[in-house]
Amino acid sequence: MLLSASTAAGGRGNASFGSHGHGSSSGGPRGGNGSGCAGDARPIKLDVRLSDKEQNALSGTAITVRANFFPLKYPKDLDLYDYTVDISPARLFELLESTQEAAPYLDGMVYDGMQRLISRRRLPVGFSIRIPFYGADEAGPRPGGEVYTVRMLKPKILSSADLVRYLRGGDIKYNPLPIISAFNLITSAHASQTGVQIGKNQYYFPPSASSGGAFPLSVGLEVWKGFSTSVRPVYKNLMINVNACTSVFYTPYARFSDAMFKYPKLSYGEKFYRHARVTMKHLAYRKKSRIKGFGSQTARKTFFQCDELGGEVSVEQYFRKKYNIHLQYADKLPVINIGKQDRDVFVPAELCEIEPGQPFVGVLSESESQGMVQNASNPLYINAQEISGKGLETLGLRQRASPMPGFGIEVSSDMAVVPARVLAPPKVVYQSHPLDVVVGSWNLRNMRFYLPARLTRAAILILSDGVPEGRESSLDTSLGSALKGCLSKCRASGMKFDDAHMPLRVRNAAIEAIEKEIKSLPLRPSIILVFLSNTDQRIYRGLKMLCDVKLGIPTVSMQMANTMREKGRDQYFASVALKVNTKLGGVNHQLHASSMQWLKNTMLVGMDVTHPGVGCVRGTPSIAAVVASCDAEFMHYPASLGLQEHGKEMVTDLKKMMVERLDEYFKRMKTLPERVVVFRDGVSEGEFVQVLVAELPEIKAAFLSFKGYNPKLTIAICGKGHHVRFYPTRTEEADRTANTRAGTLVDRGVTGVYDSDFYLQAHAGLQGTVRSTHYTVIFDENRFSADALQQGVHTMSYLWAPATKSVSLIPPAYWADRACERGRLYLHGIMQPSDGDNDKCLSGDRVWERAKEMWGKGVHKDLRSTMFYL
């Protein structure tokens, strides 16, 4: 791992960041040559050194926790021979295993199914095997069939002795990834043969007594349980990280026709099963095919030319004459197209089988997503038992399934116990007095905002689309009460506002009608409070696009059902008040001054990139967001948003975005920050170096756009997509959900050998097993001490404007994520197109042009200095 010249990583796997010091940097208006990154960026010298033991972090209450890591034992004198092979088709390796020539080496050999073969023994020079090929559904080779020759080239030698030296902190330049990936291949071989692999390291197993049953999710979908597994290097050890996971699969059906009949409209089923795999059962062997699409007619009305049967025949006639099969649903279901790109092949649905083990890659509905969350949110102790019990068993780790014994590898069945600390929460300050935090949260009752905003010229937009006309009068009465309750909560929180507000009712929720009504107002509103009668996302997306991009008016939306419900209404209005105050420039709360010292003259930056997901038009651009603090309270983070190449993770226009954020900081603070701390979200461990190579020079180039300006910079990566979980070892150290307490920090035992990293759970868990955030410092000119940065990140997690609780991710990174999500709304026509949408048929350069048309000039100039995306 590459770290900065000032970053020092703990040799014992702890996070330590050098000595803390304040550097000086002159602030002033932009000047200098202002040239681009290529000309400005100086070479960056990256030096990594081990920490001194005296620099270990000590703050907090010391405890121990269990981690879902299991020590991996391996011979310290093990040599692995890493062969690159070209075996196509992949079945050749199965046939190779059955040959006499390969038999002496099989107990210490593993193949990844593509081009890599790991062997404990060196194969003879010139080793080659001739293999007659035959399919899995055939008894043996056919006369005159194809014969392949498999040859092994000179291997790379991976030595565990080199790995041991690296793990002990003795060789930072050594690259452990090749041998770590070899260990991953060995330990996951059993799972890859018995389960269904999704991604790099997740394995799901067919429902059974040992693996557990499938959970029905909806028509045609079920949830399978599985486990992730990954070998991880830690100080002086290798460990294997195992975690429970769930994924959605197609429900298997012996006859595809049975599945289709479960849909009230056949068109739903056609869309749902598009691209699924089916197996044909009428042949002497099982033929697997992927669905290309569906025909417009039934088997009785779909005709094609068949010379074998004397001319044009229907699909029904073909199967009756060719195979003596009389179709049951010949005129009730459309035919399935299982042909290739240039050729259609139509078959009846009733002769196809949907086999188990097919992952579903479509978009889940809201109810399906909720079902997934409920199914995955097991109590903590059940999660731990599943990992240690079923997890190790089904993955083949407990019983040392082949090929582990051949390599001398063994995995402990006991979870690792590692040291941890619980950091103290900060004091939260409101206008009247400080508040004590209890279990990561506090109560807003009788509190006045730290800096209340003034609410003037508020427009009240009521979208009553779908409400029966006869109920409008009673709805008005209820909404009048709701509006009064909402404004009363704002007033009780200290906000000042005039009682005059501009009501608007729009019965037709078309965006054009909403725009017309807003423009008809006598005065331009400072904010629009929106009452929504339903949860239609199309209305919400269109409204945000209209007000964010075209009109430049901040909005706060409320669901009518929530404003009228007696239970929990006061809490709901409190949440609305928090958003209104922040969007109008107020500050809801602050931390005690003692918690803010480490941020003196500092600008906090959050960066993230969101990519098009399943269902998006092919080629849809990614969206990048850079947010940055611009006030002494660190509560306001205006954002720069931009489109960039599809799937590109590194921010393309980073220099421009950083200049915009520094300009905003200077406009408000009348100076430039002496220190800049960047929290980068959304990059994997394999992309850390790319951040240093591609994004770090762009940030430095932005600094050079200001005359004589060179602040000290720190970059930390925030990771939430990991599989690391922690469990209390003592009941008295757990919270009410049996999870570790808010403030739990782990920086030893399961962290990197040389990385300056730590796991922090700043928030309290609500259900299931709580997940911490993994922070890794990859560049640090500020020379933060471990205690300063860890405690600082923890306290900053309490500065989340729209809630009275700490959050799992430090706010700058969280806000960048939120800004990206808001940007997705502006492209909803290609991000989530409907079936009848013309944009769905776009391709190539036209997608990019359409995205730029929808994006326009981006966020309206009147909102660019606000947190419009909240």
Side-chain angles (χ1 to χ4, degrees), residues 599-622:
L599 290 176
K600 185 178 180 181
N601 302 323
T602 299
M603 181 174 80
L604 297 181
V605 179
M607 293 167 45
D608 194 15
V609 177
T610 185
H611 304 290
V614 177
C616 294
V617 176
R618 186 187 298 269
T620 298
S622 297

Side-chain angles (χ1 to χ4, degrees), residues 25-98:
S25 57
S26 60
R30 199 166 352 145
N33 55 28
S35 60
C37 166
D40 291 335
R42 302 183 181 93
I44 300 168
K45 183 179 180 181
L46 300 175
D47 172 39
V48 189
R49 55 188 173 82
L50 297 177
S51 303
D52 297 327
K53 291 182 180 180
E54 290 75 20
Q55 294 175 332
N56 292 342
L58 299 173
S59 61
T61 302
I63 62 170
T64 59
V65 294
R66 294 190 188 279
N68 58 340
F69 283 72
F70 301 84
L72 187 150
K73 301 176 184 178
Y74 59 96
K76 301 302 185 283
D77 58 352
L78 176 66
D79 283 339
L80 298 177
Y81 297 92
D82 190 351
Y83 291 90
T84 299
V85 294
D86 184 10
I87 298 180
S88 180
R91 173 163 165 75
L92 275 176
F93 185 73
E94 297 178 32
L95 299 176
L96 182 148
E97 288 181 304
S98 64

Side-chain angles (χ1 to χ4, degrees), residues 326-531:
H326 296 265
L327 299 180
Q328 184 178 357
Y329 305 117
D331 206 26
K332 293 185 178 180
L333 288 173
V335 290
I336 302 172
N337 187 351
I338 59 171
K340 303 298 182 183
Q341 188 172 0
D342 57 346
R343 179 171 175 264
D344 293 334
V345 176
F346 295 110
V347 296
E350 61 192 270
L351 299 185
C352 296
E353 175 184 354
I354 301 178
E355 292 190 344
Q358 291 192 59
F360 177 71
V361 294
V363 179
L364 296 179
S365 67
E366 185 175 348
S367 61
E368 288 168 342
S369 297
Q370 292 174 352
M372 275 289 291
V373 172
Q374 292 172 2
N375 179 259
S377 298
N378 291 324
L380 173 134
Y381 69 92
I382 291 180
N383 178 273
Q385 288 174 355
E386 281 204 339
I387 291 171
S388 296
K390 291 180 181 178
L392 296 186
E393 191 74 29
T394 55
L395 291 170
L397 300 178
R398 185 188 302 281
Q399 66 273 34
R400 298 186 72 199
S402 178
M404 289 173 56
F407 289 92
I409 292 176
E410 183 178 349
V411 176
S412 170
S413 59
D414 296 323
M415 279 191 181
V417 177
V418 298
R421 288 172 286 124
V422 180
L423 304 183
K427 283 192 176 296
V428 176
V429 180
Y430 283 85
Q431 194 179 87
S432 51
H433 58 79
L435 278 178
D436 289 327
V437 174
V438 180
V439 196
S441 63
W442 59 97
N443 200 314
L444 188 60
R445 189 176 293 115
N446 300 324
M447 290 291 110
R448 296 170 68 85
F449 293 140
Y450 185 80
L451 289 176
R454 186 172 186 85
L455 177 60
T456 59
R457 305 190 317 279
I460 313 301
L461 176 60
I462 302 170
L463 298 180
S464 56
D465 185 43
V467 177
E469 292 190 22
R471 291 188 54 198
E472 285 192 347
S473 58
S474 61
L475 178 65
D476 287 342
T477 302
S478 299
L479 284 177
S481 174
L483 178 61
K484 182 179 179 181
C486 179
L487 296 179
S488 296
K489 178 57 71 173
C490 291
R491 182 180 286 110
S493 300
M495 296 181 66
K496 299 179 177 62
F497 54 90
D498 50 48
D499 290 323
H501 49 268
M502 299 171 280
L504 292 170
R505 176 187 291 281
V506 181
R507 181 165 182 81
N508 178 6
I511 297 303
E512 295 78 8
I514 296 173
E515 181 180 2
K516 181 180 178 181
E517 289 294 327
I518 293 174
K519 287 182 174 179
S520 70
L521 293 171
L523 295 173
R524 177 182 172 84
S526 62
I527 194 169
I528 301 176
L529 303 180
V530 185
F531 288 86

Side-chain angles (χ1 to χ4, degrees), residues 217-250:
L217 186 63
S218 61
V219 175
L221 292 180
E222 61 186 21
V223 179
W224 283 22
K225 294 181 179 180
F227 298 92
S228 66
T229 171
S230 177
V231 176
R232 309 282 299 179
V234 301
Y235 184 62
K236 290 188 177 181
N237 285 298
L238 277 186
M239 292 201 184
I240 187 163
N241 172 226
V242 178
N243 192 38
C245 48
T246 56
S247 190
V248 182
F249 288 76
Y250 285 106

Side-chain angles (χ1 to χ4, degrees), residues 529-736:
L529 303 180
V530 185
F531 288 86
L532 299 168
S533 61
N534 57 55
T535 58
D536 191 336
Q537 285 297 306
R538 291 173 299 176
I539 297 174
Y540 179 82
R541 290 191 297 256
L543 178 67
K544 294 301 182 182
M545 176 72 173
L546 171 67
C547 294
D548 288 358
V549 176
K550 195 169 185 179
L551 302 179
I553 303 173
T555 57
V556 174
S557 300
M558 292 170 272
Q559 287 293 330
M560 292 184 190
N562 293 332
T563 64
M564 299 177 188
R565 187 181 298 118
E566 287 297 326
K567 185 177 180 181
R569 186 164 70 164
D570 185 71
Q571 186 176 358
Y572 185 76
F573 287 149
S575 175
V576 172
L578 291 167
K579 293 180 181 179
V580 171
N581 192 57
T582 304
K583 287 201 172 188
L584 292 177
V587 175
N588 296 340
H589 65 276
Q590 186 51 265
L591 302 183
H592 191 273
S594 61
S595 298
M596 306 296 288
Q597 286 299 315
W598 77 289
L599 290 176
K600 185 178 180 181
N601 302 323
T602 299
M603 181 174 80
L604 297 181
V605 179
M607 293 167 45
D608 194 15
V609 177
T610 185
H611 304 290
V614 177
C616 294
V617 176
R618 186 187 298 269
T620 298
S622 297
I623 299 172
V626 176
V627 307
S629 62
C630 57
D631 60 340
E633 293 80 22
F634 296 93
M635 287 293 277
H636 284 274
Y637 292 84
S640 296
L641 289 174
L643 301 179
Q644 62 184 45
E645 301 92 315
H646 172 88
K648 182 182 177 183
E649 182 56 49
M650 298 301 110
V651 180
T652 298
D653 295 324
L654 182 52
K655 177 187 173 183
K656 172 178 173 289
M657 292 176 165
M658 282 296 297
V659 168
E660 291 173 354
R661 296 303 98 227
L662 288 164
D663 279 340
E664 184 68 28
Y665 186 98
F666 184 81
K667 183 175 74 174
R668 298 205 194 188
M669 303 295 288
K670 310 307 179 187
T671 187
L672 289 171
E674 294 179 8
R675 302 187 297 180
V676 175
V677 182
V678 175
F679 291 94
R680 179 63 160 96
D681 190 22
V683 296
S684 65
E685 291 180 358
E687 294 170 321
F688 287 5
V689 174
Q690 292 184 45
V691 174
L692 293 172
V693 172
E695 293 185 339
L696 173 57
E698 291 288 304
I699 296 172
K700 289 287 189 177
F703 296 161
L704 293 176
S705 298
F706 298 83
K707 187 176 180 179
Y709 182 57
N710 186 28
K712 294 187 180 299
L713 174 66
T714 295
I715 302 176
I717 308 296
C718 316
K720 288 285 290 180
H722 58 80
H723 292 281
V724 178
R725 302 292 184 270
F726 298 109
Y727 309 90
T729 55
R730 303 173 63 184
T731 304
E732 58 269 30
E733 293 170 350
D735 68 6
R736 60 180 180 80

Side-chain angles (χ1 to χ4, degrees), residues 74 159-167 174 176 179-180 183 238:
Y74 59 96
S159 173
S160 66
D162 296 334
L163 177 64
V164 170
R165 186 165 55 255
Y166 169 85
L167 296 176
Y174 172 75
I179 195 167
I180 294 296
F183 279 124
L238 277 186

